[in-house]
Amino acid sequence: MRLTKFVLVLTLLCVSFAMKAQIVEGIGIMGGISYGNQKFVTNSPVVIDKKNYQLGFNGSFFVEFFRNEYARWVSELQYNQKGSVDKQPNQDYTNKLQYACWNNYLKLRYEMLTIIPYVLIGPRLEFIVSQSTSSPPVVGNFSAVHVSPAVGAGVEFVSYGNISFITDVIYNPDFILPAYTNNPLDIYNKVFELRVGLKYHFRGRTSCNTPTPGM
């Protein structure tokens, strides 16, 4: 948790500096559901066992940098729930993980008359907050710090004020580094996130976002 607090403080300091330097375009909050599962990979011999999906929740605060028409950078502090349901013939085992995440995305966007579609891609630095695992093969702790990729797509709805409504879908798989390693078992998380939120713009809109007088 000390590392999580350090990242939080560092992020807030960076945001404060960026706001003074006037490179922050906006800030916002997001929240929604997380629908994830896990893949258990046993070595020697290799056996892959995909577990069932489990529903969770997520919430985040984000900062959007720069005001380029087509590309921006988004830094996000997120709480996210992951895990799976391990269905066995005689019993179901529930695995629940809670993460504090520092997400950074390249945001590619295209302004239209009423909506702004966008895509997100970038890395996540995840710090485990708690774990509750009941699957018999899981006998140790998940990695305290974990790196994973994420990609998503969403829509921002054009508004004539400083606040706009946004919604997106994020796909966050572990396909390079496992979230859990304890020979002979590796565990990989995978989660889909459906999110909605609000974004506050610090500066006035231009182009299609600004109403034309007399129209």
Side-chain angles (χ1 to χ4, degrees), residues 22-43:
Q22 297 184 340
I23 62 174
V24 174
E25 197 281 331
I27 60 174
I29 55 174
M30 300 285 285
I33 58 174
S34 299
Y35 192 55
N37 72 351
Q38 294 174 318
K39 180 172 65 177
F40 285 31
V41 180
T42 304
N43 303 300

Side-chain angles (χ1 to χ4, degrees), residues 77-133:
L77 293 176
Q78 182 190 44
Y79 164 79
N80 201 11
Q81 295 180 336
K82 298 184 178 184
S84 67
V85 177
D86 183 1
K87 290 184 176 292
Q88 299 297 325
N90 299 321
Q91 186 176 349
D92 292 347
Y93 299 96
T94 302
N95 302 310
K96 296 182 178 180
L97 306 172
Q98 299 184 63
Y99 284 97
C101 311
W102 184 29
N103 310 331
N104 288 277
Y105 304 120
L106 172 64
K107 181 178 184 179
L108 302 176
R109 60 197 296 278
Y110 183 77
E111 295 191 7
M112 303 175 69
L113 183 61
T114 58
I115 61 172
I116 305 174
Y118 62 85
V119 295
L120 300 170
I121 184 169
R124 291 185 171 187
L125 186 61
E126 301 174 302
F127 308 90
I128 195 160
V129 177
S130 69
Q131 73 173 69
S132 176
T133 55

Side-chain angles (χ1 to χ4, degrees), residues 35-41 48 50 53 80-83 97 99 101 103 122-128 142-143 145-151 170-181 186-193:
Y35 192 55
N37 72 351
Q38 294 174 318
K39 180 172 65 177
F40 285 31
V41 180
I48 299 176
K50 295 182 178 180
Y53 280 89
N80 201 11
Q81 295 180 336
K82 298 184 178 184
L97 306 172
Y99 284 97
C101 311
N103 310 331
R124 291 185 171 187
L125 186 61
E126 301 174 302
F127 308 90
I128 195 160
F142 279 72
S143 299
V145 182
H146 183 57
V147 177
S148 65
V151 61
I170 305 290
Y171 175 52
N172 173 221
D174 292 339
F175 67 85
I176 300 176
L177 299 175
Y180 171 96
T181 299
D186 291 336
I187 299 177
Y188 297 81
N189 290 319
K190 179 177 70 176
V191 65
F192 295 92
E193 302 164 14

